[in-house]
Structures are given as C-alpha cells and as structure tokens.
Amino acid sequence: MTDVKMAAGSSKDFIVLDDDDYKVTPEDEINAIDYELRQIECEQQKLEDRKKILVDRKQKLKDDALLQKSFNLAKKDWDTENFSWSKNLKKALTDVFKIKELRPLQLQTMNAFMSNEDVILIMPTGGGKSLCYQLPAVISKGILKSMFPGVPILGLTATAPAKIIVDVQKMLDIQGCLVLRASFNRPNLFYEVRRKPTDKETCLEMIVNLLKNRFEGKSGIIYTTTIKESEQLSTDLRTRGLKVGCYHAMLEPEYRTKVYSKWISGDYQAVVATIAFGLGIDKPDVRFVIHHCLSKSMENFYQESGRAGRDGQKSYCILLYRLMDVFKLSTMVFQDKVGLQNLYKILNYCLDQSSCRRSLIATHFEETWTKDDCKEMCDHCKKGKRKKQIDIAPYCRHIYQIITHAVQNEQRLTPLKLIDAWYNKGAANLRVSSIPIPKFPREIGEAIVGYLLINGYLQEDFHFSAYSTITYVKKGPKSGLTMGNDHKIVVEVDDH
C-alpha cells in the first residue's frame, strides 16, 4: 500500500509520497525505449534521404562537367557540305539509298564521324539513325576502336539519359566525344492512359471497339508482356472478326516473316506481339500502338510507342493500366539492379492524374519542356484537368495496421490480399475490424497503394516457390516517418 503522511507546520496540510511511488516499471521503460527508437529511426530515414540527395547531386555535377566538353564540341559547324567527302556523300545518298533529303542531325553526325570524331547520337525511334552509319559505310569506314586504332566510333540510340551517356563514353573510352541529341518530342503522337478493366471480357471488348471503330481501316501494333498473352489475345480478336497476326520470338522464322508481310501489305490490321516485334520495324503509317500491359521501363515504352506515326501523321499511343499488372512484371525484373526502379517510373507515369503525359516523358529524358509544347496531344491536356493535393498518410497507417495484423498471425500479404483486407473482403482472418472501409472506389485504393510503393512507404518482398516467384507487400524503408500523426504524404490528383 502507498504510505501517505500528513505534513504539519503550514497553514495547509499536504501529502508527501514515498520514493517507492516514483519507481519506473519495466513496462514503462520499454515503452520509453520504443518511443526513442522510433524517433531515432525517423531521424535516420531523414539523414538517409538527405545523403541520397547529396550523393546524386555530387554525381550529377561530375557528369555535367564531362558532358560540357562534349557539348562544346557540338558548337562546331558540322551542318555544312564543304567537306572533302560531301559530293560523294550526296551522290551515294541519291544513287544508293534513293533518298532526296537528309533528316535533322544526320548530316552533322556523318560529317563529325568522317572527320574522325567519336559521336553519340540520341535520336527517337524512326528518326533515321541507321542511315548515319550505313551511308558512311558505303564510302568506306570501319567501326571498332579496339580493332582499328584511330578510327572513330559512332554510337546510336533512341533513348539515353545523361548518366547513361557518361557510362557509355567510359565503356567505349570516348570521354568528351561529340554528343548530338534530337528532341524527344514527337508532336504527332497522342499519348493516353486508360484504366484496364479487371474483367477479361470487358478489356477485350474495349480493344475490339477501338479496332472496329476508332481505328477502322488503320494499321497498328498491340504489345503484350508474354508469349501466352499474345497468342490468347490474337485468338480472341480473330474470333470477333478482326484480322490480326501473332508475333513472338518462339515462332518459326518463316511464320514470323509471313505475319510481318501480311501486316505490311494491309492483310492484317494489327500485329499482337511481344517486344520481340521491334528492331527493324519500319512501317511509316502505323496509326496506333496499344500496350495491353505496362512496359518494363519508360525507355521501353517510349521506343515501343514510338513505332507509331513515323510518317509524321497523327497517331495514337494508348497504354492500358492496372496495378496488378505491375506485380506480374516486378517478379520478372526485380533481380536486375535497376529493374524495379525502372518499372516504378512507368508506374508513376500511369498513376499521375493531371500532369501532361508528354512533359513526364520529356522530364524523364532530361529535356526542357513548357506547358504549351503539348498542344492538347495527350489525354490530360486535352481535358484541361485541374490539380488538387490530398494527404494519404492516414490511409498508409491503416494499411500498416493490416500488415502488422498479418505478421502477428504469421501471414504474408500479396498485393491482392492486402487491398481485399482493406476493403473488408477476402479471408476474414486478414481483416482488421477497427479500420474503416474506404469510401472511395477500389481503383483509388489501388492508386494509393501504388503511390506508397513508388515512394518507399511500402515495399515488395519476393519469395521463390517451386513454379514461380511470388511478391508480397511489407512496410517500406520510409515507414518510420509515419509514426507521428503530423507526417503527411501529399499527392496530386485530378480535381474534377
């Protein structure tokens, strides 16, 4: 019992408690330690975030210094026909390649290359990179520097951020070489992201409707992720009266050639294909490219969608997005050093509810962009969407409660099971009754999970089974930041 004494000698009595009453219990100390540990974790995460920013900035400054030498070389006037080979170059262009005029940056590239300068040319798909080495080859030039010292190297690519350019220069030992970069803006391409219906039949009807109405009589490509998907989708479209071919790497070369020829001639309206259908494709009047599933990176998406509209006429690039498709791809790419990072960038492109699609592409490829450059050639700019900011931190804490509940019951949560539990569906033992069921549609709930994933609040956890790789969801490296109720996770959404 507590020993209470009445103190005398004052106008009022007061109580004095024994020292025993001030003793801290082990439970109190554990709680205090837990609180302090959480504070330390928050500070650690803040320091890690700051460290990453500083390391990235330091590397960018180094890369910029190296690239400056390259861009200084680009100031020389390469766009001229006053070189000793100019007449032979022009003659070969018309006589051998039957081309009347060169495209932008082609002459500069060939002149620099034939002046014994190493060159890296970044030019969009369909921009005319192949001619830059084919034409000089006709008037005698070699390529590999290691085999032919003193002979220049010409590197050609459709996509290359600054860091990749620097890495390539180092690998080829051509630091400070001339770098020519064409604009990534393809003004004739209309970019659109559509929510992919969960129901297979509904999704199929969407594609059928596009081919029979919006793209009637027009040529296109439908990209799928797997061979099985390309075969199934092409079969389903044929049963609905559409003339399409199937193309993937496991088909016999003769069959692939036959499919390609029918597509070129117009016998097939579209080719349903994996990414094996790409290199060397040069059909100028492709009016649409539909991605039945996400690409593995922004670079892949840009190249694949860029096969549309090479004749400069208006064409459409439509990406069908569903969060669960992300996890299908993540199990394929997670062992690659930057596989998940690349995949999450294309996920971010899909999740963005208001930004200009073309500005997102331009920003990814480090190209200067203004809001007037799109000219309503993407779904967001055409609709004139307004933005508003919302805080999704409270929902993040709800999701953490579900994850903690699963861990306590020795359960793992797949992305599907996690969202089911949040919406009070699926297995009863995974639900948490104290968490309110979201009042917004499930597609918004999926978008929130996607935002948390790409921003480090959630994380994929991969496990190998006998037949496949399974991904589960767990708390991410930034989970400690959410311990305090004052922490906000702000995202921009459509205000309509």
Side-chain angles (χ1 to χ4, degrees):
M1 294 180 63
T2 304
D3 188 7
V4 180
K5 300 176 181 178
M6 302 300 295
S10 73
S11 58
K12 294 182 179 180
D13 292 337
F14 59 92
I15 298 174
V16 177
L17 300 177
D18 278 354
D19 289 344
D20 288 346
D21 294 273
Y22 291 97
K23 287 183 180 178
V24 177
T25 66
E27 290 77 11
D28 291 335
E29 189 173 359
I30 289 171
N31 290 335
I33 291 172
D34 283 342
Y35 175 78
E36 189 172 352
L37 285 173
R38 288 196 296 269
Q39 297 298 108
I40 292 171
E41 286 175 2
C42 288
E43 291 303 315
Q44 282 179 328
Q45 185 60 55
K46 290 176 182 176
L47 289 172
E48 284 294 325
D49 290 347
R50 181 60 181 162
K51 179 183 177 182
K52 185 177 186 308
I53 290 171
L54 292 174
V55 169
D56 290 347
R57 178 60 180 164
K58 180 181 176 181
Q59 187 60 50
K60 188 176 188 306
L61 290 171
K62 286 183 176 180
D63 292 347
D64 287 348
L66 181 60
L67 284 174
Q68 190 57 50
K69 181 181 176 183
S70 298
F71 294 135
N72 287 338
L73 189 59
K75 293 178 181 178
K76 183 176 177 179
D77 185 13
W78 300 106
D79 190 15
T80 177
E81 296 184 359
N82 296 327
F83 291 94
S84 59
W85 53 79
S86 295
K87 288 184 179 179
N88 290 335
L89 199 69
K90 195 166 186 177
K91 188 175 188 304
L93 179 70
T94 55
D95 294 351
V96 179
F97 293 92
K98 311 299 181 185
I99 296 174
K100 293 181 180 179
E101 293 182 358
L102 290 171
R103 297 181 186 180
L105 291 184
Q106 287 182 325
L107 182 60
Q108 295 95 311
T109 301
M110 289 185 279
N111 280 336
F113 180 58
M114 295 178 73
S115 297
N116 247 27
E117 293 286 356
D118 299 315
V119 184
I120 291 179
L121 171 64
I122 304 103
M123 181 180 282
T125 300
K129 295 183 294 295
S130 300
L131 188 68
C132 293
Y133 66 82
Q134 291 170 344
L135 185 50
V138 171
I139 54 176
S140 295
K141 278 288 177 181
I143 31 173
L144 297 179
K145 207 174 191 66
S146 60
M147 297 174 65
F148 306 101
V151 175
I153 287 179
L154 172 60
L156 305 164
T157 181
T159 55
K163 185 181 185 307
I164 301 299
I165 296 173
V166 173
D167 291 343
V168 170
Q169 287 182 336
K170 291 175 181 176
M171 286 188 289
L172 297 178
D173 193 23
I174 54 173
Q175 290 95 324
C177 72
L178 173 64
V179 174
L180 299 173
R181 184 195 290 269
S183 172
F184 283 93
N185 183 25
R186 297 279 302 281
N188 63 310
L189 300 186
F190 185 94
Y191 289 93
E192 177 184 353
V193 176
R194 290 190 176 194
R195 179 165 175 77
K196 183 179 180 180
T198 303
D199 178 66
K200 178 187 170 184
E201 285 300 314
T202 306
C203 181
L204 184 60
E205 287 305 318
M206 176 190 287
I207 298 174
V208 169
N209 181 58
L210 283 169
L211 268 63
K212 286 188 174 182
N213 295 288
R214 187 170 173 184
F215 302 129
E216 182 184 9
K218 294 179 170 57
S219 179
I221 305 170
I222 303 172
Y223 278 111
T224 61
T225 302
T226 66
I227 290 172
K228 182 179 179 181
E229 284 177 344
S230 66
E231 291 180 341
Q232 185 62 57
L233 183 56
S234 58
T235 299
D236 291 339
L237 292 175
R238 285 189 200 123
T239 59
R240 285 160 175 78
L242 290 162
K243 294 182 178 179
V244 298
C246 180
Y247 191 107
H248 56 73
M250 297 306 292
L251 295 171
E252 293 295 328
E254 296 80 8
Y255 185 83
R256 291 204 302 268
T257 301
K258 182 180 178 182
V259 171
Y260 179 75
S261 298
K262 284 193 170 187
W263 180 61
I264 291 291
S265 67
D267 288 341
Y268 283 156
Q269 179 184 7
V271 173
V272 182
T274 61
I275 57 171
F277 189 72
L279 190 63
I281 300 301
D282 192 21
K283 193 174 191 293
D285 63 340
V286 176
R287 293 280 75 90
F288 64 91
V289 171
I290 298 172
H291 277 83
H292 182 255
C293 188
L294 299 182
S295 297
K296 294 178 181 178
S297 68
M298 286 295 288
E299 284 79 8
N300 284 9
F301 172 68
Y302 180 78
Q303 290 192 27
E304 291 154 9
S305 60
R307 305 195 191 286
R310 292 190 177 185
D311 57 2
Q313 301 301 308
K314 187 174 182 179
S315 305
Y316 296 84
C317 307
I318 301 173
L319 192 160
L320 304 184
Y321 158 73
R322 182 173 62 199
L323 182 66
M324 292 306 153
D325 285 347
V326 175
F327 304 112
K328 194 188 306 181
L329 285 169
S330 65
T331 57
M332 301 179 186
V333 304
F334 77 97
Q335 289 180 310
D336 185 335
K337 185 178 179 181
V338 292
L340 283 179
Q341 178 184 331
N342 288 337
L343 178 60
Y344 291 167
K345 285 180 179 177
I346 190 72
L347 171 57
N348 184 64
Y349 172 84
C350 295
L351 287 175
D352 194 297
Q353 296 295 301
S354 54
S355 300
C356 168
R357 302 286 183 196
R358 308 168 77 81
S359 73
L360 295 173
I361 294 172
T363 301
H364 177 79
F365 292 113
E366 300 164 346
E367 185 166 303
T368 304
W369 186 262
T370 67
K371 63 180 182 180
D372 297 324
D373 290 336
C374 184
K375 304 188 188 311
E376 297 188 358
M377 284 294 285
C378 81
D379 51 355
H380 285 170
C381 291
K382 186 175 182 180
K383 294 176 183 177
K385 292 193 172 186
R386 296 192 303 269
K387 303 176 183 179
K388 72 174 180 180
Q389 293 185 331
I390 63 169
D391 177 23
I392 62 172
Y395 307 121
C396 179
R397 287 186 273 271
H398 291 165
I399 289 170
Y400 283 173
Q401 290 181 54
I402 297 170
I403 293 174
T404 300
H405 175 73
V407 170
Q408 290 170 345
N409 287 279
E410 299 183 343
Q411 297 281 331
R412 290 195 184 108
L413 292 168
T414 63
L416 181 60
K417 286 181 178 180
L418 171 64
I419 296 172
D420 277 346
W422 190 16
Y423 278 80
N424 202 37
K425 298 183 182 300
N429 65 334
L430 297 177
R431 305 176 197 174
V432 179
S433 59
S434 60
I435 294 175
I437 301 172
K439 296 180 180 178
F440 40 75
R442 188 178 175 109
E443 65 185 74
I444 295 179
E446 290 184 3
I448 288 172
V449 170
Y451 280 121
L452 295 174
L453 186 66
I454 61 180
N455 286 292
Y457 292 94
L458 292 177
Q459 185 175 353
E460 291 188 72
D461 186 21
F462 300 95
H463 289 262
F464 297 99
S465 70
Y467 305 102
S468 63
T469 304
I470 302 172
T471 180
Y472 299 103
V473 182
K474 64 180 182 180
K475 294 180 182 179
K478 289 189 177 180
S479 59
L481 298 177
T482 66
M483 295 297 183
N485 288 329
D486 58 337
H487 182 73
K488 296 182 182 297
I489 307 172
V490 179
V491 297
E492 278 191 338
V493 296
D494 175 18
D495 194 24
H496 284 186

